[in-house]
Amino acid sequence: MSMFNRLLVTGLPVVPKPLVGKVASRYVAGETLADAVRVVRNLNQQGAMATIDVLGEEVSEREKALAAVEEYLQVFDTIAAEGLDSNVSIKPTLLGLKIDESFCRDNIERIVAKAKEHGNFVRIDMEDNTTTDATLRIFHELYARYGNVGPVLQAYMRRTLSDIAALPEGSTVRLCKGIYVEPRTIAWKGFETVRANYVRALEKLIERGIYTGIATHDEYLTCRAVGLIDKHGLKREQYEFQMLLGVDEELRRILIAGGHRLRVYVPYGRDWYPYSMRRLRENPEVARHVLKAMLSGR
Ligand SMILES: Cc1cc2nc3c(=O)[nH]c(=O)nc-3n(C[C@H](O)[C@H](O)[C@H](O)COP(=O)(O)OP(=O)(O)OC[C@H]3O[C@@H](n4cnc5c(N)ncnc54)[C@H](O)[C@@H]3O)c2cc1C
């Protein structure tokens, strides 16, 4: 990261919240479930599937985790009632992982059971390394009992290849680079190194016959993925691409036009600010827009 970008990113916390909201609103459907429904319906009309995420991370009070469970139950009822092509993504720390693992597992189980009632699916997002073991334990246990749940694996983690080897037959995974800042002792750090491990991990997943959500906006990785899909003769139903709402809509259209299945991650909720800050920190290009908007008084 250049010195200028570094300065931009460290300066972000002092940027006024309404300004961050204005620039970052493209990454978030809105504050309510009705906003998410509107965005997902639009995506479905464009030929994309969706995964709905209720915004929020790490709660320390049980009531908040239980409120998030209720919200997710409502999301599944709404997806069914509105006839949307969408599953959901959940964050274990929002569902109480840092309070107590078994409390969190019970909360996730209620969501997975609800999804099962509707013939739908739950993707468990992967958070920082302090949560990886517990998240995978919860996944393995619930997968064995319900089947309609899958984890996310991060290509920057050195352990990912062995996590792939341990995935149960018939399970599905989302493969992403990883968004948290992890120590070098456990994570690959170089940009090209992470790309290389992503390709390696994807090929392993394909060889194992695991349905993979190829989550990236990196054109190089997209191109490598298309090459692997071709090389292994995968059919359209055997994988999907995944992208975040508001990021590189052109690439999204290119992939859909190329005949690939594509799912868009659609976050909504009142907790949009921390999510937006993370997106902004991750991509200094977006931080530049904030700066421009500040300087031009918009
Ligand atoms: C559907 C989905 C789900 C994800 N779930 C998780 C998860 O559970 N756990 C986790 O750790 N990470 C998750 N991530 C984030 C992921 O790990 C990466 O941090 C993120 O996708 C950026 O990596 P990239 O592969 O797109 O490549 P990059 O090289 O970072 O990006 C490629 C290009 O895409 C554009 N771009 C990328 N990100 C953004 C952005 N935020 N805003 C604007 N433009 C951008 C830029 O133009 C950039 O040059 C998810 C990503 C996606 C797409």
Side-chain angles (χ1 to χ4, degrees):
M1 200 186 282
S2 74
M3 183 63 93
F4 179 66
N5 282 346
R6 217 184 293 266
L7 274 174
L8 265 184
V9 170
T10 40
L12 272 176
V14 298
V15 175
K17 198 170 168 181
L19 197 54
V20 175
K22 194 166 166 230
V23 179
S25 60
R26 54 188 269 228
Y27 301 118
V28 177
E31 292 203 347
T32 66
L33 179 52
D35 292 323
V37 167
R38 183 179 36 79
V39 169
V40 170
R41 183 169 297 120
N42 195 359
L43 286 164
N44 287 170
Q45 280 161 1
Q46 294 168 32
M49 306 173 287
T51 184
I52 297 179
D53 168 64
V54 177
L55 284 173
E57 286 166 57
E58 191 153 346
V59 296
S60 46
E61 294 133 53
R62 282 173 186 256
E63 298 69 40
K64 283 198 176 153
L66 293 171
V69 175
E70 293 304 324
E71 182 80 24
Y72 270 113
L73 301 186
Q74 207 191 329
V75 172
F76 275 119
D77 287 338
T78 305
I79 289 172
E82 300 281 339
L84 300 175
D85 188 349
S86 182
N87 58 33
V88 309
S89 291
I90 59 171
K91 285 203 167 47
T93 63
L94 174 65
L95 298 164
L97 186 63
K98 290 292 168 100
I99 300 170
D100 176 50
E101 185 175 327
S102 63
F103 170 65
C104 177
R105 188 207 46 232
D106 292 349
N107 288 337
I108 295 181
E109 180 169 0
R110 285 178 60 203
I111 297 171
V112 171
K114 179 65 153 189
K116 185 105 181 162
E117 254 176 51
H118 286 299
N120 209 326
F121 177 85
V122 177
R123 176 71 59 203
I124 311 181
D125 285 355
M126 190 57 82
E127 301 177 83
D128 69 48
N129 79 80
T130 63
T131 67
T132 314
D133 282 331
T135 299
L136 289 176
R137 263 196 304 274
I138 292 171
F139 154 67
H140 280 280
E141 185 184 329
L142 294 181
Y143 181 76
R145 287 168 45 205
Y146 293 86
N148 60 329
V149 59
V152 174
L153 295 177
Q154 299 153 319
Y156 65 22
M157 294 296 276
R158 291 179 201 277
R159 57 180 289 168
T160 286
L161 294 178
S162 45
D163 288 335
I164 290 172
L167 285 172
E169 287 304 317
S171 58
T172 77
V173 84
R174 173 195 300 151
L175 181 65
C176 64
K177 283 186 181 172
I179 202 175
Y180 300 87
V181 180
E182 300 291 6
R184 189 171 176 222
T185 44
I186 57 168
W188 300 109
K189 297 304 264 184
F191 186 75
E192 292 302 334
T193 324
V194 174
R195 271 181 169 171
N197 207 43
Y198 192 109
V199 174
R200 229 177 130 197
L202 181 57
E203 186 143 38
K204 262 214 150 50
L205 285 162
I206 293 174
E207 281 164 5
R208 277 214 53 199
I210 304 266
Y211 182 102
T212 303
I214 306 163
T216 183
H217 322 92
D218 183 339
E219 191 176 295
Y220 170 82
L221 282 184
T222 306
C223 174
R224 291 297 307 269
V226 170
L228 287 175
I229 288 162
D230 203 31
K231 177 178 156 193
H232 291 269
L234 292 193
K235 299 201 182 70
R236 180 179 149 83
E237 315 74 53
Q238 291 177 298
Y239 66 93
E240 66 188 44
F241 282 94
Q242 296 189 352
M243 294 176 69
L244 300 171
L245 185 67
V247 180
D248 205 342
E249 289 168 24
E250 186 172 49
L251 182 60
R252 190 204 289 170
R253 285 192 294 273
I254 290 168
L255 287 168
I256 293 173
H260 303 284
R261 276 149 59 91
L262 186 135
R263 188 179 301 278
V264 179
Y265 190 98
V266 178
Y268 82 92
R270 278 185 204 88
D271 270 346
W272 57 268
Y273 184 69
Y275 179 83
S276 305
M277 288 300 277
R278 194 141 56 84
R279 295 266 89 81
L280 290 172
R281 263 195 213 99
E282 187 194 15
N283 190 349
E285 283 308 310
V286 183
R288 267 180 217 273
H289 294 306
V290 179
L291 186 73
K292 241 168 67 190
M294 255 173 102
L295 294 177
S296 65
R298 282 188 289 125

